[in-house]
Amino acid sequence: MIKPTRVIVALVAATFLPLAGLSTAATAATPTPAATQRHLVEIPAQAAVAQAVAPSECATTLLGDYVDQLIGAMTLEQLLFLIEHQNTLLSVPTYDALFFGTQGDPDYALESHARQITNTFRDLQRFWDIDSSDIQLMAMHGDVLLDADRIAATLTAMVATGVTEPMTPAEIEAEAEEVATFMQEQGDFYDNPLWTLNAFAFSGEGESDPFIAALPDKLVMGDGIIEFYDAIGLGDVGVRVIMAHEFAHHVQFELGVFDTGPTDPAEATRRTELMADAMASYFATHKKGLALNSKRVADALLSFYTVGDCYFDDPGHHGTPLQRQRAADWGADLAAAAKPRSYVLPAETFVGLFEAALPGIISGN
Ligand SMILES: [Zn+2]
């Protein structure tokens, strides 16, 4: 999760028009998120879908190419449904897991790569010297979209917490019914990786909304992101590295790192994201961590987040590919320099070293 409120690039209905060949009337009802809307969780698929349907000059990324493929494989009927119900399809699986998921509930049980994910989580808990015993590890699955009651409960909570625009109970019920009915008729469309193309860390600490503040700490792995890494041949490395990145956000929550950064939201996000990359790389390449090859680790980190590069003014901006590469290299170099090789830095010390290195990571000097 990104602590400072992130404005997600709005999926404007018009951007779909050239691709879908629609009349404007057909999409007039598509909501455009307000700029003031709050976002508890960043949903990269939203920006990736926008880029897929209205390509800009941004360089394509592996994640972007993957989203293009997913969209290209849809029937026209499915694509039109996505356009009409994009907020529900792209947000509900994430917020369902955030609001209602618990470790141990079969609805959120890890399936793909389950053993690897569980083991890596344990490795991470051992590696970093923070109290991580209260973090719940879980999956998110697209099958929530088959269940009108679960969709309605999630939309209701999204409205109540201000992460989506106001909807009446009747509107919520109608939307939930329509989506569940469609998904039940469309084979495995409910399981499309696009709906769960995300992994996130969440902590409710410091949130003013009592409902959000009461939620347990979580690390949520979407089926879609796991499938993405499998599809690009980075399954083993990618899944573990993205977990390490998300776990790094928990280290940051625990140490209060989000409270001490620059006041400019874009700079603040860049700092915590580059730090999370460096921490992920440090863990993933360290002898006491995963002892993975540093180039594959950097590839895994870069394949996912470079989608942010299109939006330099976005408060959720994650840093340029070069900055992310340098952050990953910095973390790997630090791991390689450990003396003895099995020595792991205290998290607090790591953060201090990173802060000192950050200007160089940003500028390249
Ligand atoms: Zn992150």
Side-chain angles (χ1 to χ4, degrees):
M1 188 191 103
I2 310 308
K3 258 316 203 203
T5 302
R6 176 177 196 271
V7 181
I8 289 177
V9 175
L11 280 178
V12 182
T15 62
F16 284 98
L17 295 177
L19 182 81
L22 297 175
S23 72
T24 44
T27 55
T30 308
T32 303
T36 51
Q37 210 166 291
R38 62 191 307 224
H39 296 280
L40 291 169
V41 184
E42 183 192 9
I43 301 175
Q46 292 180 326
V49 169
Q51 168 71 8
V53 297
S56 67
E57 289 157 19
C58 315
T60 60
T61 64
L62 289 169
L63 184 75
D65 293 347
Y66 184 64
V67 168
D68 285 349
Q69 282 172 34
L70 294 176
I71 288 177
M74 289 178 193
T75 65
L76 182 58
E77 190 189 9
Q78 289 170 341
L79 183 59
L80 296 182
F81 195 83
L82 165 58
I83 292 164
E84 195 83 20
H85 300 275
Q86 54 190 268
N87 190 42
T88 301
L89 301 186
L90 297 177
S91 305
V92 162
T94 289
Y95 282 106
D96 164 73
L98 174 64
F99 292 142
F100 306 116
T102 55
Q103 189 173 321
D105 181 335
D107 281 344
Y108 308 91
L110 295 159
E111 288 166 10
S112 177
H113 292 251
R115 173 119 54 101
Q116 184 182 54
I117 289 171
T118 309
N119 288 344
T120 303
F121 187 65
R122 234 177 273 139
D123 290 342
L124 282 159
Q125 287 183 306
R126 267 196 295 264
F127 190 82
W128 292 112
D129 63 344
I130 56 151
D131 177 16
S132 55
S133 57
D134 56 346
I135 303 170
Q136 299 197 18
L137 173 67
M138 67 194 74
M140 60 168 161
H141 306 300
D143 64 359
V144 59
L145 297 172
L146 294 167
D147 187 329
D149 290 343
R150 286 177 67 189
I151 296 170
T154 302
L155 288 174
T156 302
M158 286 172 68
V159 169
T161 53
V163 296
T164 194
E165 296 203 324
M167 293 170 79
T168 66
E171 285 168 345
I172 288 172
E173 200 181 320
E175 171 69 2
E177 280 299 334
E178 199 180 341
V179 169
T181 303
F182 185 84
M183 288 298 176
Q184 287 162 19
E185 290 165 352
Q186 290 285 325
D188 62 1
F189 192 49
Y190 73 88
D191 205 24
N192 194 295
L194 205 49
W195 321 142
T196 53
L197 196 58
N198 204 2
F200 65 90
F202 173 80
S203 168
E205 212 178 292
E207 289 286 344
S208 51
D209 185 317
F211 171 70
I212 297 169
L215 295 170
D217 286 3
K218 294 181 180 186
L219 198 163
V220 180
M221 295 293 295
D223 285 344
I225 197 68
I226 299 169
E227 263 187 70
F228 162 65
Y229 279 119
D230 282 340
I232 62 168
L234 284 172
D236 282 357
V237 175
V239 170
R240 290 185 283 173
V241 168
I242 196 81
M243 283 191 70
H245 175 101
E246 297 307 327
F247 196 93
H249 288 317
H250 277 297
V251 176
Q252 295 171 334
F253 291 140
E254 212 54 46
L255 298 180
V257 167
F258 288 101
D259 309 327
T260 57
T263 48
D264 175 67
E267 277 178 41
T269 303
R270 183 176 63 189
R271 163 180 170 262
T272 49
E273 289 304 321
L274 293 175
M275 190 193 299
D277 280 346
M279 283 179 152
S281 174
Y282 180 71
F283 163 78
T285 59
H286 196 285
K287 181 172 181 272
K288 278 285 179 183
L290 301 176
L292 291 170
N293 173 280
S294 60
K295 182 172 185 317
R296 280 177 73 77
V297 169
D299 285 350
L301 285 169
L302 283 155
S303 63
F304 186 58
Y305 283 107
T306 43
V307 69
D309 285 355
C310 300
Y311 313 103
F312 288 104
D313 297 331
D314 188 326
H317 189 255
H318 281 162
T320 68
L322 269 176
Q323 290 165 347
R324 301 191 70 107
Q325 178 75 54
R326 287 194 288 264
D329 289 347
W330 183 85
D333 289 347
L334 193 61
K339 279 194 188 104
R341 297 295 303 273
S342 59
Y343 176 69
V344 178
L345 291 165
E348 194 109 49
T349 308
F350 183 99
V351 170
L353 292 172
F354 178 83
E355 300 279 25
L358 182 59
I361 289 169
I362 290 171
S363 69
N365 297 318

